[in-house]
Amino acid sequence: MARFLLRRLLLTIPVLIGVATLVFSLIHLVPGDPVQAMLGESASPQDVAQLRTKLGLDRPLLQQYASFARGVVRGDLGTSLRTNQPVTGIILERMPATMELAASAMVVAILFSIPLGIIAAVGKGTYVDHVATTVSLIGISMPTFWLGPLLAIVFSVWLGWFPVSGRGTVANLVLPAVTLGAPLAAILARMTRASVLEELRELYVMAARARGVSEARAVFAHAFRNSLIPIVTVIGLQFGSVLTGAVITETIFAWPGVGRLLVQSISARDYPAVQGCILLIAVTYVSMNLFIDVLYGFLDPRIRYE
Amino acid sequence: MLKLGIAIVGLALLGALVGPALSPFDPASQELALRLATPSLLHPFGLDELGRDILARVLAGARISFLVGFTVVVVSASLGTMLGAVAGYFGGRIDDLISRVIDILLAFPGLLLAIALVAVLGPSLTNVLFALTIIGWVGYARLVRGQVLRAREFEYVHAARALGASTPRILWKHIIPTAIPAVVVQATLGMAGAIIGEASLSFLGLGVQPPTPSWGTMLNGGRAHILDAPHLTLFPGLAIALLVLGLNFLGDGLRDRIDPRSNASR
């Protein structure tokens, strides 16, 4: 297991270096002069020169890269141009809100999708299955930036059940979590259905039934338990979509997380903060994938010896 | 499912092609006195915050969606197929290089890299197309690389090589065609992804800029009037959801036709 862990960790290092390099080069993709773009056309040459020095953009590219890499390793992502505070500090301040939203969305998705997928698989071809399959296809097709406003119209404006924006109470969390969790729920429900169906056809389930175990036990203790590996994988892989979806959901519901910070920083052309947010989200995603890989190794020992 | 998908996508395409010509209203013309008017017989989808006919704008927005969908899919699929085939066929350092680039691009979840690229390049349709293509080709390359790795060991490929066929000929005539069905399915689903991608970027103010009608831009404009005029949000969103649903039906249906094993679990 230690070798397996070490190999996975070593494979992650070049990816992280590549991610950091790509994030570093973002500022150099700005058409024209990035400093002028940040300060606007009316900025004086002195201000432009001062900011260029502050950001280190007047140094040779390799030196800039070395300094950026040193900063990343030390957790120093520069200073925000908008707030004049360290980027790492602002992001860490917002991170709990994003994690709270992402975790709640995943809980909503899992609670809704797994029972739906199992019911659809057990009742394959029935009316319940058709309804469940159609609901999940609609869920996949419904964009977050439409579902969020629709939920706000119905549950905030018409029914007055939940607040339309802000953070602090459980009521504030419901609509953003459902908005962000719905597409994931739809994907998971389809995956659960397919995976449980496949297991239900296996000989060991047939043998269990032949031994006279109850249908519920055959489904839950045998088929569902073995269908969990692909489901866990999809949950892990979809974590990235949840993080990206958070950018839109946080914008819709004025949720004070990293996604909203990213959009605000883009509007203000605060490139150090944009780079910081992108880097942090990507690193979180890579770490989550690594965690899922390792978990997969625990769940299925054959993978460790590949 | 396939037929339903074809019907929905066909209707949407027809709407995009002939709709703006048939609509009595120009998507840009404003009737400020009637701003935010609710749906009526004359304006079935109502009017927006500047008194523009929402139906005319939804139809015009469909053109942007199809333009983005087709362009991103054609360019990404061509680029991804080419690079995936080269990586899979030649292996070695070329494969390592292409695979590492794929790994790095896949380390950015979903639309995040597109958001980052458009954020630095500036909001415009061209930059949206560029950003969506940069994140789009990776999926095709991975898919084709896998297929080619398998296909290059087929006996007829060995036979073609023994007969002296050139590498480009082997790739073009014998190997790439084996990957095409999978690429077609991926392209259908990828088109839905590109359309949602453009709408997401436009919704965040990073895509198509007003006054050009795009479904995402319309939804962004509707946010300020969600309390007093929800119809501004309802119709463009419904259009996106229906088109994406149609493309998902089409992709799923095609996959069932091409790969009967995937149908077995249905």
Side-chain angles (χ1 to χ4, degrees), chain A residues 124 137 145-146 190 197 201, chain B residues 200 233 249 252 264-266:
Chain A
K124 189 199 164 207
L137 249 183
F145 49 82
W146 188 49
R190 273 163 68 101
L197 259 184
R201 285 198 203 98
Chain B
S200 304
T233 298
F249 276 144
D252 273 11
S265 58
R266 281 163 201 285

Side-chain angles (χ1 to χ4, degrees), chain B residues 159-205:
Chain B
R161 212 175 285 137
L163 284 169
S166 66
T167 303
R169 186 180 165 83
I170 293 174
L171 273 175
W172 187 248
K173 286 272 180 188
H174 301 290
I175 290 188
I176 290 179
T178 62
I180 294 300
V183 170
V184 170
V185 174
Q186 170 101 346
T188 316
L189 300 170
M191 190 158 164
I195 288 171
I196 289 209
E198 180 277 318
S200 304
L201 291 170
S202 297
F203 176 79
L204 292 172

Side-chain angles (χ1 to χ4, degrees), chain B residues 111-124:
Chain B
L111 267 182
L112 187 73
L113 188 59
I115 292 175
L117 285 171
V118 180
V120 294
L121 294 173
S124 76

